[in-house]
């Protein structure tokens, strides 16, 4: 299973920018015959009668390293628009944002996908985006907007939650923890792996969940208890879920991991009627992923068309099976397994976007001092 917003150390200047260019990869999966609509809508913001938007036959999409899209959809976009797409993926959403800020005066691409609601405020404040009001955004997605600036368009969403390896707990005759409070009990010592919020979007989402549940500064005391109880923090989702977690392919040593409410739908053995894992729905934070036109883009027209493409029905219906998030298009068809194995939380922990934007850096700094030392 590959999830959006995965692995993620912080980044350092020109060396990382060079690495980013070398890291570009073209997302490829199984073919599909669906043909998405790629009609462009009138932009707002950059470009005017005196300064028309830039346009070319090449489009560079900067995204996180867990971006995935059925290859035939990208080919169809090229056939429909005449625009060749190159995907560049430096790391997690946090890495992507830091790279874009570092390269603000020499943009790394034309359009970005994967900045989430924990990083949205920073992206908007940094001035790395140009506004675009996508007419194809469904009305049902209005509440998922980052703000009213039109800098970021919501594409998908999901819940970041603790996941448990049911088989491990059954084998060890230990009850699966149900709440954040359970995690600090001695019977769960050395069982949890989390992602570093300094560079990981799910890691930051889980940090925000603890702030929402425990308050500020109460969340720091909670993290101190987690540290005393053996929590392990790793760079990103890929390492946490695929290497450290016992319930997935990596068969790691830890049966509790920060992942997604959708993850159990992809841990159902062939022919089985239940998943090997379980999402703890009382520990969830709602995450939204966005796309935006990069300021200074060499192909603003193509960037807008690509955002419309991401909102098209074929792509929206491809997102669940490829990136394990819910599409913002409410009438998009979902995999049948999701109804049984991937429900969203009915009461996700919420933290206002404005509070995240104002306090995120301090939260991360204090978390690092408390947990990493």
């Amino acid at each position: 299973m590959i999830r959006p917003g995965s692995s993620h150390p912080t980044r350092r200047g020109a060396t990382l920018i060079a690495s980013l260019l070398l890291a570009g990869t073209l997302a490829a999966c199984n073919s599909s015959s669906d043909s998405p609509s790629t009609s462009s809508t009138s932009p707002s913001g950059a470009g005017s009668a005196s300064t028309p938007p830039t346009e070319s036959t090449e489009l560079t999409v900067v995204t996180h390293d867990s971006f995935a899209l059925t290859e035939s959809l990208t080919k169809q976009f090229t056939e429909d628009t005449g625009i060749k797409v190159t995907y560049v993926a430096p790391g997690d959403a946090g890495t992507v944002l830091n790279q874009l800020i570092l390269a603000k005066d020499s943009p790394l691409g034309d359009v970005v996908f994967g900045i989430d609601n924990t990083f949205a405020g920073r992206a908007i404040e940094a001035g790395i985006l140009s506004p675009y009001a996508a007419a194809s955004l469904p009305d049902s997605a209005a509440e998922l907007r980052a703000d009213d600036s039109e800098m970021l368009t919501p594409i998908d969403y999901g819940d970041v939650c603790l996941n448990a390896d049911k088989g491990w707990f059954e084998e060890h005759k230990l009850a699966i923890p149900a709440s954040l409070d359970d995690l600090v009990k001695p019977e769960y010592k050395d069982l949890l792996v989390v992602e570093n919020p300094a560079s990981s979007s799910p890691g930051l989402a889980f940090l925000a969940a603890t702030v929402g549940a425990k308050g500020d500064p109460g969340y720091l005391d909670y993290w101190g208890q987690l540290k005393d109880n053996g929590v392990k923090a790793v760079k990103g989702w890929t390492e946490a879920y695929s290497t450290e977690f016992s319930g997935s392919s990596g068969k790691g040593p830890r049966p509790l991991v920060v992942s997604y409410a959708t993850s159990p739908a992809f841990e159902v053995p062939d022919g089985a009627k239940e998943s090997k894992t379980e999402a703890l729905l009382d520990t969830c934070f709602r995450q939204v992923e966005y796309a935006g036109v990069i300021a200074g883009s060499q192909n603003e027209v193509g960037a807008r068309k690509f955002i419309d493409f991401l909102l098209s029905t074929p792509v929206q219906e491809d997102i669940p099976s490829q990136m394990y998030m819910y599409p913002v298009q409410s009438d998009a068809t979902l995999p049948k397994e999701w109804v049984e194995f991937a429900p969203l939380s009915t009461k996700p922990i919420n933290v206002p976007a404005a509070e995240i934007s104002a306090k995120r850096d301090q939260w991360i700094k204090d978390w690092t001092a408390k947990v990493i030392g």
Side-chain angles (χ1 to χ4, degrees), residues 200-331:
S200 161
S201 58
L204 182 52
F206 184 64
L207 173 58
T210 64
V211 172
K214 302 298 180 182
D216 185 357
Y219 79 97
L220 275 179
D221 292 335
Y222 176 73
W223 277 100
Q225 294 176 66
L226 285 179
K227 181 179 181 181
D228 291 342
N229 213 35
V231 67
K232 182 173 184 177
V234 298
K235 290 188 295 186
W237 181 90
T238 299
E239 182 179 354
Y241 194 89
S242 300
T243 302
E244 294 291 336
F245 182 46
S246 63
S248 190
S249 58
K251 301 300 180 186
R254 294 186 176 240
L256 294 170
V257 65
V258 172
S259 192
Y260 291 81
T262 54
S263 300
F266 302 91
E267 299 295 350
V268 182
D270 290 342
K273 294 184 178 180
E274 65 177 49
S275 175
K276 297 184 299 180
T277 65
E278 174 183 327
L280 311 185
L281 297 181
D282 287 340
T283 68
C284 300
F285 178 88
R286 177 105 352 128
Q287 182 186 46
V288 183
E289 290 190 310
Y290 303 96
V293 179
I294 298 173
S297 164
Q298 297 300 303
N299 189 357
E300 293 170 297
V301 170
R304 296 164 185 163
K305 289 183 178 180
F306 191 81
I307 291 173
D308 289 339
F309 165 69
L310 291 176
L311 291 170
S312 67
T313 297
V315 174
Q316 287 282 291
E317 292 185 345
D318 195 54
I319 284 172
S321 61
Q322 298 297 333
M323 293 193 284
Y324 314 108
M325 297 287 270
Y326 277 80
V328 297
Q329 189 182 114
S330 60
D331 58 354

Side-chain angles (χ1 to χ4, degrees), residues 20-314:
L20 169 62
L21 296 175
L22 290 172
T25 57
L26 196 63
C29 299
N30 297 325
S31 63
S32 167
S33 60
D34 291 331
S35 175
S37 167
T38 56
S39 59
S40 177
T41 57
S42 297
S44 64
S48 65
S50 59
T51 308
T54 57
E55 186 172 8
S56 78
T57 59
E58 304 282 335
L59 183 76
T60 299
V61 179
V62 182
T63 186
H64 51 58
D65 59 0
S66 290
F67 175 83
L69 192 65
T70 297
E71 186 176 11
S72 62
L73 293 176
T74 301
K75 290 181 178 178
Q76 188 66 53
F77 174 81
T78 297
E79 290 178 10
D80 290 347
T81 64
I83 299 171
K84 180 183 177 182
V85 178
T86 299
Y87 294 104
V88 174
D92 180 75
T95 302
V96 170
L97 178 56
N98 286 340
Q99 292 281 9
L100 290 175
I101 292 172
L102 284 172
K104 180 179 178 180
D105 295 330
S106 183
L108 298 171
D110 304 295
V111 61
V112 58
F113 168 78
I115 293 172
D116 78 343
N117 50 322
T118 62
F119 287 111
R122 184 181 175 204
I124 293 169
E125 292 163 6
I128 60 170
L129 302 167
S130 293
Y132 174 56
S136 51
L137 182 69
D139 292 340
S140 59
E143 64 181 21
L144 299 177
R145 289 191 176 101
D147 60 14
D148 295 329
S149 68
E150 307 291 359
M151 294 293 183
L152 290 167
T153 301
I155 303 298
D156 60 40
Y157 68 100
D159 286 340
V160 174
C161 315
L162 289 171
N163 276 221
D165 175 359
K166 295 193 297 185
W168 188 98
F169 283 97
E170 182 178 352
E171 179 183 347
H172 289 78
K173 295 180 171 55
L174 180 63
I176 294 175
S179 67
L180 295 176
D181 289 338
D182 286 344
L183 299 178
V184 301
K185 295 177 179 178
E187 57 263 42
Y188 300 109
K189 185 176 179 63
D190 298 331
L191 301 187
L192 173 64
V193 59
V194 303
E195 300 88 354
N196 190 322
S199 50
S200 161
S201 58
L204 182 52
F206 184 64
L207 173 58
T210 64
V211 172
K214 302 298 180 182
D216 185 357
Y219 79 97
L220 275 179
D221 292 335
Y222 176 73
W223 277 100
Q225 294 176 66
L226 285 179
K227 181 179 181 181
D228 291 342
N229 213 35
V231 67
K232 182 173 184 177
V234 298
K235 290 188 295 186
W237 181 90
T238 299
E239 182 179 354
Y241 194 89
S242 300
T243 302
E244 294 291 336
F245 182 46
S246 63
S248 190
S249 58
K251 301 300 180 186
R254 294 186 176 240
L256 294 170
V257 65
V258 172
S259 192
Y260 291 81
T262 54
S263 300
F266 302 91
E267 299 295 350
V268 182
D270 290 342
K273 294 184 178 180
E274 65 177 49
S275 175
K276 297 184 299 180
T277 65
E278 174 183 327
L280 311 185
L281 297 181
D282 287 340
T283 68
C284 300
F285 178 88
R286 177 105 352 128
Q287 182 186 46
V288 183
E289 290 190 310
Y290 303 96
V293 179
I294 298 173
S297 164
Q298 297 300 303
N299 189 357
E300 293 170 297
V301 170
R304 296 164 185 163
K305 289 183 178 180
F306 191 81
I307 291 173
D308 289 339
F309 165 69
L310 291 176
L311 291 170
S312 67
T313 297

